[in-house]
Amino acid sequence: MKGQKGFEKGFDKGFSKGKGKGQTEIVVAGCRHETVGAIIRGEYVKFGSNHGRPAYRKLDKPGAQEVQIYFWDHRDGPSMCGWWFGASVGGDMVWSFRPGDAPVPPRSSASGPSLGAPVAADGRSPAGLGPSIEVMLRLALLISTAHGWSCNDAGATSWLRRESLAEVDALAVCNDGSSASFYLQENTSSPDWLVYLAGGGWCYDAASCQGRFDGHLFPNHPCNSSNQSMPCFMSNKDYPETCGKTGIYDRSDRSPLHGHNLVYVPYCTSDAFMGDGAFGPWQFRGARVVRAVLKKLGPRLQAARRLIFGGGSAGARGAMVFLDEVRDRFPQTDVRGFLDSPYYLDVPSFSSKFEGFQVQHENVLANFNASSIVSESCRAKFSGELWKCLFGQHRMPLVRTPYLMVAAQYDSWQLSHLVHGYDGLEEHPRYTGAERKYAEDFAGKTREELSHLVRLSNVSFVYSSGCYEHHISEKSSFWSSHVRGLSEAMAVAELPAGRVGAVVEGCSSYNCGCSQSAVAIV
């Protein structure tokens, strides 16, 4: 890697070892980058190991952001081998990285630059920083949006080009009124397509939407200072011209869709692709965006042999409410759904800080004019409670189109909100005994409702891990994680055959069946 020496010195800066078993073993200091430095500075103790090396956890007060130092070996390629700062071992939120296979983290170095300043929005180094520091900064700023829309992902093997929707529908726009887009990689030799709606939370009233724009609420990317590394989720202003993807988009045989025509719809409407109205200073036109994508691709999808229509997280909830409409729109095409993590449970919140997902859905329906995605059958079933037509537990039994639905029993997005009132996704929560019992009861309720769903539906294929996770189909976990010997990728491979039923982890204790514990009990 060009400039590797400078990068290594930058990582070394302020990194020292403590002494004494049971005491602080590593102290991290220095780091000029304001955001990253505030996160990683502090004292660390050994708490386990990973890939044959010790792993360390930052000492901090309960409820603070979990920070770990761990080693990752060559299994995902030499570019991933080295020592990482991250929220959890092997997780997607990472702050800094030093390549190499040293047996312990690097010691202090009196020479060499500190982490420096962020990479500018145009991808160039800030004034005064050379190319070696630019390389370092690109790696240090991998603060992942893997639970929301993302481009140029680590390990990307597919590169999709940007397509505007401006000429299709003038109202197919982002929250700020900028034109929505999608990304496309065509394979003219294939008759099969994937259309995938990206995720990234949502807002539902004036306060939550302002917080989403300002950056003090999820995804914590201030729109006035965003860039391609930390994009605004309410605008197209940070969309790159090409979008690199992995996971379900992987061009190797690790993804069963590797030969498909690939479509990725980034998420800038904050309404789970359900709205078609204006609210305050913003536009909420997600439903129009989906219909504009389908219109622009219409002739090609009409001629397709098979269309996998789906999404992840908020995108999966959008795909859920659109799936039957898509099949009706393309009757000559074999349409199948892939819904990664849309299945919200209608349960009360444990935390008094969170009023519940039910109120959010009521507000989205009323504030953003989401009525166009309420099907006739759902309107008849839930007259007077139409918000349930946007809600996974209530809407999924009414879906007629064959689908694969992924629903983790310890869905980390839902539990982050319900247990701690956390706006976003806690990478490594710390639970009291009562909180853990709530989480295990939530998992039991998920298994119960999924069993009910499978009995009701003759088109459903349900895949449910016993892990604390959410929306893994855009990551390598898509093929590397398994439930009863079946990966999510293997489950997708069975979609064309029309498999129905369920693959559900049957153990009942928290995060059971997973190799790494994702929670601390306090």
Side-chain angles (χ1 to χ4, degrees):
M1 181 185 295
K2 185 178 181 181
Q4 187 68 59
K5 184 176 180 181
F7 173 78
E8 293 178 359
K9 289 181 178 178
F11 187 95
D12 285 347
K13 178 75 171 180
F15 200 108
S16 61
K17 304 268 185 75
K19 297 181 179 179
K21 186 175 180 180
Q23 300 176 357
T24 299
E25 297 188 38
I26 291 176
V27 177
V28 177
C31 181
R32 292 204 313 265
H33 188 274
E34 181 179 354
T35 302
V36 175
I39 294 170
I40 68 174
R41 295 187 198 105
E43 300 179 357
Y44 291 72
V45 296
K46 183 178 177 180
F47 75 97
S49 63
N50 191 66
H51 293 183
R53 305 285 196 278
Y56 304 87
R57 173 180 288 128
K58 182 181 174 183
L59 292 172
D60 215 330
K61 60 184 179 181
Q65 171 66 59
E66 179 80 6
V67 186
Q68 298 178 5
I69 301 170
Y70 62 91
F71 177 78
W72 198 264
D73 64 18
H74 289 83
R75 68 189 61 193
D76 291 321
S79 64
M80 303 295 286
C81 178
W83 287 92
W84 294 82
F85 279 97
S88 61
V89 172
D92 292 290
M93 181 176 286
V94 296
W95 296 284
S96 194
F97 166 62
R98 178 184 177 174
D101 58 359
V104 294
R107 294 179 179 272
S108 298
S109 173
S111 62
S114 62
L115 281 173
V119 173
D122 61 6
R124 294 177 297 181
S125 296
L129 294 181
S132 63
I133 305 303
E134 180 178 351
V135 171
M136 178 193 68
L137 291 170
R138 287 186 183 275
L139 291 170
L141 291 172
L142 288 174
I143 300 176
S144 174
T145 58
H147 302 292
W149 80 266
S150 60
C151 280
N152 304 333
D153 300 337
T157 58
S158 290
W159 296 91
L160 294 74
R161 71 176 187 273
R162 183 176 172 184
E163 300 272 345
S164 175
L165 294 171
E167 79 286 2
V168 181
D169 184 347
L171 283 177
V173 296
C174 304
N175 294 130
D176 66 350
S178 58
S179 295
S181 301
F182 65 94
Y183 290 91
L184 171 66
Q185 184 180 83
E186 286 190 273
N187 179 3
T188 56
S189 64
S190 173
D192 300 327
W193 286 74
L194 167 68
V195 175
Y196 186 104
L197 309 181
W202 66 2
C203 63
Y204 46 90
D205 59 16
S208 63
C209 293
Q210 188 63 52
R212 186 174 176 88
F213 183 85
D214 291 343
H216 70 267
L217 295 179
F218 183 87
N220 306 114
H221 299 177
C223 287
N224 286 333
S225 59
S226 61
N227 54 50
Q228 287 185 10
S229 297
M230 299 182 69
C232 174
F233 275 29
M234 303 179 77
S235 175
N236 74 4
K237 72 188 189 75
D238 301 314
Y239 285 3
E241 287 306 307
T242 58
C243 185
K245 299 298 297 177
T246 185
I248 196 170
Y249 287 90
D250 198 85
R251 272 302 183 191
S252 75
D253 58 8
R254 294 180 297 193
S255 171
L257 309 186
H258 64 271
H260 284 47
N261 296 275
L262 303 175
V263 177
Y264 184 68
V265 185
Y267 181 46
C268 65
T269 58
S270 306
D271 58 0
F273 295 98
M274 297 181 186
D276 189 13
F279 180 72
W282 297 290
Q283 300 290 319
F284 294 90
R285 305 288 182 176
R288 276 187 179 264
V289 170
V290 174
R291 293 181 177 121
V293 171
L294 297 174
K295 182 177 180 180
K296 185 162 184 174
L297 295 173
R300 284 170 281 186
L301 297 180
Q302 195 70 54
R305 177 179 65 180
R306 180 174 299 113
L307 166 61
I308 306 296
F309 180 79
S313 194
R317 292 187 283 130
M320 169 187 72
V321 300
F322 266 102
L323 186 53
D324 289 339
E325 180 179 327
V326 172
R327 188 178 71 162
D328 293 343
R329 186 174 187 136
F330 303 107
Q332 304 303 316
T333 303
D334 180 19
V335 176
R336 309 273 166 156
F338 172 65
L339 310 175
D340 182 359
S341 307
Y343 199 70
Y344 278 21
L345 283 189
D346 188 356
V347 295
S349 174
F350 181 91
S351 172
S352 61
K353 296 186 293 182
F354 181 63
E355 59 185 346
F357 290 111
Q358 300 88 339
V359 175
Q360 292 186 4
H361 286 69
E362 291 174 359
N363 287 341
V364 166
L365 178 66
N367 294 337
F368 304 161
N369 185 29
S371 59
S372 77
I373 54 81
V374 177
S375 66
E376 291 183 9
S377 61
C378 199
R379 189 178 299 275
K381 183 176 178 66
F382 296 115
S383 177
E385 294 182 299
L386 292 183
W387 64 269
K388 290 185 176 181
C389 296
L390 286 61
F391 203 97
Q393 179 182 329
H394 303 299
R395 182 63 180 261
M396 285 305 306
L398 302 177
V399 174
R400 297 176 283 108
T401 305
Y403 63 83
L404 164 63
M405 185 182 73
V406 178
Q409 293 163 37
Y410 295 95
D411 183 278
S412 51
W413 179 266
Q414 293 184 72
L415 288 176
S416 294
H417 289 75
L418 292 167
V419 177
H420 286 160
Y422 183 88
D423 181 67
L425 196 155
E426 285 186 293
E427 291 286 341
H428 198 101
R430 299 182 180 188
Y431 286 167
T432 65
E435 290 169 342
R436 174 167 177 155
K437 182 180 185 305
Y438 177 91
E440 291 177 343
D441 289 345
F442 178 94
K445 176 70 171 175
T446 300
R447 291 191 297 272
E448 177 185 338
E449 291 297 329
L450 293 179
S451 175
H452 180 59
L453 176 64
V454 171
R455 288 196 303 270
L456 280 178
S457 172
N458 62 358
V459 298
S460 64
F461 178 21
V462 172
Y463 180 92
S464 179
S465 78
C467 298
Y468 179 84
E469 63 186 11
H470 177 82
H471 178 201
I472 67 171
S473 54
E474 296 181 55
K475 300 176 283 188
S476 61
S477 304
F478 176 65
W479 60 77
S480 63
S481 296
H482 293 76
V483 175
R484 301 194 171 203
L486 194 75
S487 69
E488 203 170 293
M490 295 162 66
V492 170
E494 299 194 24
L495 258 178
R499 176 172 178 173
V500 297
V503 177
V504 178
E505 181 60 67
C507 57
S508 58
S509 61
Y510 182 86
N511 207 38
C512 54
C514 297
S515 59
Q516 297 281 347
S517 176
V519 69
I521 307 301
V522 295

